[in-house]
Amino acid sequence: MHSNFNPEAKFFLSSLIFSLILLAFYMTKRTSRRVYLLDFACYKAPDSQKCAKDTMVERARHSGYFSEDKVDFMQKVLEKSGLGDSTYLAEVYMKQVADPCMKESKREIEMSVFGSIDMLLAKTGVRCEEIGILVVNCCIFNMVPSLSSMIVNRYKLKEGIVSYNLVGMGCSAGLMAIGLAEQLLQVHHDTYALVMSTESIAENCYIGDDRSKFLINCLFRIGGAAVLLSNRPSDRDTSKYQLLHTVHTNEASSDRSYNCIIQEEDAAGQRGITVTKHIFTTASTVVKSNVTTLGLRILPISEKIKYLTNAIARKLRPAANIRRYKPNYAKSIEHFLPHVGGKPVLDELQRSLGFSNSVMEASRMTLYRFGNTSSSSIWYELAYAEAKGRVKKGGRVWQIAFGSGFKCTSVVWRAMRSVDYDEMNPWTAEIGGFPVDVECDDHGTTMSIFLQGAK
């Protein structure tokens, strides 16, 4: 049988098919460029900044800023907070006379930011001129020039660096910054992305009489984390993790969600962060939406079928009062690392997602040892799991953070190797003393105390 195509037509057709295959391969590579996490570093403040809960209460009592009623409330919150007695306060609050000002805030930021980045560069050996992307997030504190410019100036990063400075985006901003860096790494080839997550509490202590603005004073502590991402295929074998999924949920279109955590002035003109009673229900709704979306990506088919069957049965037989099925996320995840917003938050996440005490260990110990360090808290948790030697090759890590807006972000990683000893890990020198027994009490009692401070 003879072909109907002449040699020229055959050559043209073959060339066209080959070109289409190359184009499809190129487009696939462009849209699925792999992102790796080379390493990360968490800032550990000097021992001189450690402050026990009782010491903090006494300093508040003698500061002259707070009424006895507010000091008593602080003591109640701290007793039920899940924080230990070795968390770090800003340097300015360790002085005899505290004078929180922008100068002190900048010093606090420089210590955590430069301390984290110096460690990260030492751990990875990456040169500053190789960094092509910089994303910095700090929710409350802002300065001119920006924090990203401060980093570019300090480390003399190249003029063409793609630089972003995220402010006002809450405790979820650290993982949102990872998502932004991931998108940038899809279009900027063969480069590194530095993500810096921090917060300043020096200038953000509320000194008024509005109790709904007082919770921030009780829970937030010093912290910061620097993360180095890469899209270089050559970094695959030396990286710690590969980024698998990022899921962002934003419900700021809801007035109640938008207003549940908001910065404003009180009747006397004192600026603070108002926390309303809607915080827990709002957080639960946003987290549920985020987790459901992530579940569609990571849960095995067996769990998806069970969930779908249960949902159909509940819909068709409402009178039967069938209990909602909770998917078993432990089948898809080895490490669950939620933002340590506070003990009631961790209690509610554990209850709603059905995780065991051992799964929640890293988050509870991070809350106990470092307190709520805002957007960087999830990195202290991962550092804890690494220091315990629990991160094994192929293990999947789920980080989830939520904050004002109200927003929630989930990021899932896969360990590229088992993590070895790291002398720069903030837990290394003391990991043998953990876990510690954290006082257990009625969740309802703890929740009610926190709600006493909500508007």
Side-chain angles (χ1 to χ4, degrees), residues 29 31-40 178 182 185-186 227-233 235-246 298 333-334 379 382 386 391-399 410-419:
K29 295 294 285 183
T31 57
S32 60
R33 189 175 301 278
R34 293 180 179 178
V35 174
Y36 302 103
L37 190 160
L38 268 70
D39 214 328
F40 66 96
I178 294 293
E182 177 195 21
L185 285 167
Q186 299 305 310
V227 182
L228 194 64
L229 305 178
S230 171
N231 58 13
R232 297 182 175 186
D235 286 323
R236 182 185 187 279
D237 294 333
T238 56
S239 296
K240 278 188 175 181
Y241 304 94
Q242 179 184 336
L243 181 57
L244 299 181
H245 305 286
T246 55
I298 67 172
I333 295 294
E334 283 70 44
W379 297 107
L382 184 52
E386 290 185 353
V391 177
K392 304 300 181 183
K393 183 177 180 179
R396 292 153 299 183
V397 178
W398 175 12
Q399 295 174 311
S410 284
V411 171
V412 179
W413 311 87
R414 180 174 61 236
M416 303 300 291
R417 55 184 170 86
S418 297
V419 178

Side-chain angles (χ1 to χ4, degrees), residues 350-396:
Q350 181 175 10
R351 185 195 64 78
S352 60
L353 296 178
F355 283 119
S356 66
N357 288 334
S358 60
V359 173
M360 298 296 294
E361 181 184 314
S363 54
R364 294 194 184 280
M365 292 306 100
T366 297
L367 178 63
Y368 179 86
R369 177 62 182 85
F370 291 96
N372 183 345
T373 62
S374 190
S375 58
S376 65
S377 71
I378 39 106
W379 297 107
Y380 288 87
E381 295 174 68
L382 184 52
Y384 180 90
E386 290 185 353
K388 280 291 185 181
R390 295 173 182 170
V391 177
K392 304 300 181 183
K393 183 177 180 179
R396 292 153 299 183

Side-chain angles (χ1 to χ4, degrees), residues 255-272:
D255 290 343
R256 188 172 76 169
S257 177
Y258 175 77
N259 288 300
C260 70
I261 301 178
I262 190 166
Q263 186 178 41
E264 59 185 4
E265 294 176 334
D266 63 15
Q270 294 292 344
R271 187 176 60 182

Side-chain angles (χ1 to χ4, degrees), residues 3 5-23:
S3 171
F5 296 104
N6 59 41
E8 290 81 5
K10 286 183 178 180
F11 178 77
F12 175 77
L13 183 61
S14 299
S15 299
L16 178 61
I17 293 173
F18 182 70
S19 298
L20 289 174
I21 291 173
L22 284 178
L23 179 62

Side-chain angles (χ1 to χ4, degrees), residues 134-437:
L134 171 64
V135 183
V136 184
N137 70 272
C138 183
C139 179
I140 302 175
F141 178 73
N142 194 16
M143 55 182 272
V144 180
S146 66
L147 295 180
S148 59
S149 294
M150 180 186 79
I151 293 172
V152 171
N153 178 260
R154 167 64 179 256
Y155 294 96
K156 307 305 176 188
L157 302 182
K158 59 186 181 182
E159 292 183 1
I161 191 167
V162 179
S163 175
Y164 290 88
N165 196 81
L166 309 181
V167 297
M169 303 195 75
C171 299
S172 64
L175 293 184
M176 294 181 71
I178 294 293
L180 174 58
E182 177 195 21
Q183 294 299 314
L184 293 170
L185 285 167
Q186 299 305 310
V187 295
H188 297 276
H189 304 167
D190 196 36
T191 191
Y192 294 105
L194 172 61
V195 177
M196 182 67 223
S197 298
T198 190
E199 189 54 80
S200 168
I201 62 175
E203 201 182 8
N204 297 304
C205 176
Y206 174 68
I207 57 175
D209 291 325
D210 188 343
R211 183 177 284 191
S212 66
K213 296 177 176 60
F214 205 71
L215 284 171
I216 302 298
N217 293 0
C218 303
L219 301 177
F220 281 82
R221 297 295 186 271
I222 295 296
V227 182
L228 194 64
L229 305 178
S230 171
N231 58 13
R232 297 182 175 186
S234 59
D235 286 323
R236 182 185 187 279
D237 294 333
T238 56
S239 296
K240 278 188 175 181
Y241 304 94
Q242 179 184 336
L243 181 57
L244 299 181
H245 305 286
T246 55
V247 175
H248 304 290
T249 305
N250 190 332
E251 297 200 2
S253 58
S254 161
D255 290 343
R256 188 172 76 169
S257 177
Y258 175 77
N259 288 300
C260 70
I261 301 178
I262 190 166
Q263 186 178 41
E264 59 185 4
E265 294 176 334
D266 63 15
Q270 294 292 344
R271 187 176 60 182
I273 306 292
T274 298
V275 179
T276 75
K277 295 183 184 296
H278 300 303
I279 177 66
F280 290 104
T281 55
T282 297
S284 178
T285 300
V286 178
V287 169
K288 179 181 176 182
S289 176
N290 185 273
V291 169
T292 300
T293 302
L294 180 66
L296 295 174
R297 301 187 185 184
I298 67 172
L299 285 172
I301 189 65
S302 59
E303 287 298 302
K304 293 177 182 177
I305 291 173
K306 289 178 182 178
Y307 181 82
L308 180 61
T309 302
N310 174 264
I312 294 173
R314 292 174 65 248
K315 185 72 173 179
L316 296 177
R317 301 173 58 194
N321 199 25
I322 300 173
R323 180 177 298 180
R324 184 188 299 272
Y325 178 72
K326 294 181 181 179
N328 186 359
Y329 286 90
K331 290 186 176 181
S332 304
I333 295 294
E334 283 70 44
H335 304 281
F336 175 61
L337 308 175
H339 165 57
V340 293
K343 185 179 181 299
V345 175
L346 295 180
D347 290 345
E348 183 62 23
L349 281 172
Q350 181 175 10
R351 185 195 64 78
S352 60
L353 296 178
F355 283 119
S356 66
N357 288 334
S358 60
V359 173
M360 298 296 294
E361 181 184 314
S363 54
R364 294 194 184 280
M365 292 306 100
T366 297
L367 178 63
Y368 179 86
R369 177 62 182 85
F370 291 96
N372 183 345
T373 62
S374 190
S375 58
S376 65
S377 71
I378 39 106
W379 297 107
Y380 288 87
E381 295 174 68
L382 184 52
Y384 180 90
E386 290 185 353
K388 280 291 185 181
R390 295 173 182 170
V391 177
K392 304 300 181 183
K393 183 177 180 179
R396 292 153 299 183
V397 178
W398 175 12
Q399 295 174 311
I400 182 170
F402 30 85
S404 59
F406 205 85
K407 300 180 290 293
C408 180
T409 300
S410 284
V411 171
V412 179
W413 311 87
R414 180 174 61 236
M416 303 300 291
R417 55 184 170 86
S418 297
V419 178
D420 301 321
Y421 172 84
D422 178 3
E423 65 178 6
M424 295 187 186
N425 187 312
W427 294 91
T428 296
E430 53 191 284
I431 193 62
F434 290 90
V436 299
D437 290 329

